[in-house]
Amino acid sequence: MIETITELDQLRARVCEWKRQGLRVGFVPTMGNLHAGHYSLVMLARQYADRVVSSVFVNPTQFGPNEDYTRYPRTPEADMSGLEGAGCDVLWLPTVESMYPFGIELAANVHVPGVSGVLEGEHRPGHFDGVCTVVSRLFNQVQPDVAAFGKKDYQQLAVIRQMVTDLAFPIEILAGSIVREADGLAMSSRNQYLDADQRPRAAEIRRTLQDMIDGMRAGKSRTEVEAAAAQRLAAAGFVVDYAAVRRHDLGEPGADDAGAKVALIAARLGRTRLIDNLEF
Ligand code: PAF
């Protein structure tokens, strides 16, 4: 039976007890409205830990002023039973007041320079400050040995890894594979914003990522590949934030860079902003 905890003291007592018993603690932070991608992270954490905590907290500080904080889908009942089915032991439900005890304006901020500033950082200024600020708090609250993040948020994973190294959190970061719908669309809580006309078109993102990889493998230049991808998405009705080929550390690859890379897309269909990536 999953245990729901809403008080920090109770969470600390539960985790302390596990640690006294020599058990390893895994953690999966989420914003709720959970789907198979989240549950795969719980199962991944379970492979590296004896007990798993998952948090559901729609974090106001990582949403921009015109983003979907208030309409972000909240489905607490379904989340709880899904987490239980995936093998989660504790559901941690902090409140905005307990997460930011001095209020958001006076909150101590965590900013990770460099990798936070590119791609998503250019289009969602302050987003990763909000993510790092809340994840560092969640790490201090839960005190896990391992924590799992999805590769769909490729840049978020890179930012979190840098934060964990830089701030010396004694936590191993696990990366979970992207879970996709049958037509290739990466699972996301925001997919449900898509209407019946937009939903099939959204799968064009995955096809375009493959096209980018094929283009790079065929020897086309990075700028040529990025421009063709943006054009293809625009023709399918997307407003494109970026279609980019980057090194694995998200730096810009040189012309004869033979190392591993990643193709990344962020694009909007109507009001819905979708992101996805493919490593190659
Ligand atoms: O990936 C998410 O859902 C969020 O950014 C996270 C890591 C739970 C922080 O709010």
Side-chain angles (χ1 to χ4, degrees):
M1 213 22 208
I2 191 167
E3 180 185 7
T4 298
I5 297 185
T6 56
E7 298 297 327
L8 184 54
D9 288 354
Q10 273 175 34
L11 176 71
R12 289 229 158 104
R14 177 66 64 251
V15 172
C16 263
E17 187 185 314
W18 288 339
K19 293 209 168 168
R20 254 200 311 275
Q21 293 168 24
L23 300 175
R24 269 168 72 79
V25 178
F27 177 47
V28 181
T30 82
M31 296 205 300
N33 191 244
L34 306 179
H35 50 65
H38 297 108
Y39 300 136
S40 73
L41 295 178
V42 172
M43 291 182 251
L44 176 65
R46 187 98 235 174
Q47 288 170 35
Y48 292 80
D50 305 294
R51 297 287 182 269
V52 176
V53 177
S54 187
S55 58
V56 171
F57 180 69
V58 186
N59 172 36
T61 65
Q62 69 187 75
F63 289 81
N66 299 317
E67 294 184 356
D68 54 346
Y69 173 64
T70 47
R71 69 180 182 122
Y72 197 83
R74 286 149 169 101
T75 49
E77 304 293 318
D79 292 349
M80 188 162 53
S81 64
L83 283 171
E84 183 164 82
C88 179
D89 298 282
V90 163
L91 168 57
W92 167 226
L93 289 179
T95 60
V96 173
E97 292 71 29
S98 67
M99 190 62 76
Y100 298 107
F102 298 101
I104 286 171
E105 291 306 313
L106 292 182
N109 254 291
V110 180
H111 172 70
V112 173
V115 67
S116 284
V118 300
L119 301 172
E120 288 297 287
E122 285 165 8
H123 293 275
R124 302 183 71 190
H127 168 66
F128 287 123
D129 292 359
V131 169
C132 290
T133 295
V134 80
V135 170
S136 57
R137 282 152 200 257
L138 287 163
F139 282 172
N140 283 331
Q141 292 164 355
V142 179
Q143 308 214 347
D145 299 292
V146 299
F149 292 82
K151 282 194 191 181
K152 180 178 154 286
D153 294 297
Y154 188 93
Q155 190 175 358
Q156 170 172 278
L157 182 60
V159 170
I160 297 288
R161 283 192 194 285
Q162 185 166 321
M163 178 186 83
V164 161
T165 303
D166 204 24
L167 296 183
F169 280 107
I171 300 171
E172 182 187 349
I173 300 300
L174 306 172
S177 303
I178 299 176
V179 179
R180 297 181 180 280
E181 304 286 357
D183 65 356
L185 177 65
M187 285 196 183
S188 163
S189 303
R190 291 188 168 104
N191 291 351
Q192 65 195 264
Y193 297 152
L194 299 166
D195 66 26
D197 166 62
Q198 293 165 336
R199 172 60 192 82
R201 282 193 288 141
E204 188 65 6
I205 292 187
R206 168 70 178 77
R207 292 190 285 269
T208 306
L209 285 167
Q210 188 57 54
D211 226 39
M212 293 168 79
I213 294 177
D214 294 345
M216 292 299 291
R217 288 193 172 135
K220 292 184 184 162
S221 76
R222 181 171 64 84
T223 45
E224 198 183 345
V225 162
E226 291 175 348
Q231 225 168 55
R232 178 178 171 155
L233 288 166
F238 289 85
V239 175
V240 181
D241 279 353
Y242 57 81
V245 173
R246 291 290 179 270
R247 292 193 315 252
H248 263 201
D249 62 3
L250 293 172
E252 291 195 10
D256 50 4
D257 187 332
K261 297 187 189 63
V262 58
L264 308 107
I265 287 173
R268 273 168 287 135
L269 259 186
R271 287 172 72 199
T272 307
R273 187 173 188 274
L274 300 168
I275 61 169
D276 198 356
N277 67 85
L278 273 186
E279 295 170 270
F280 64 106

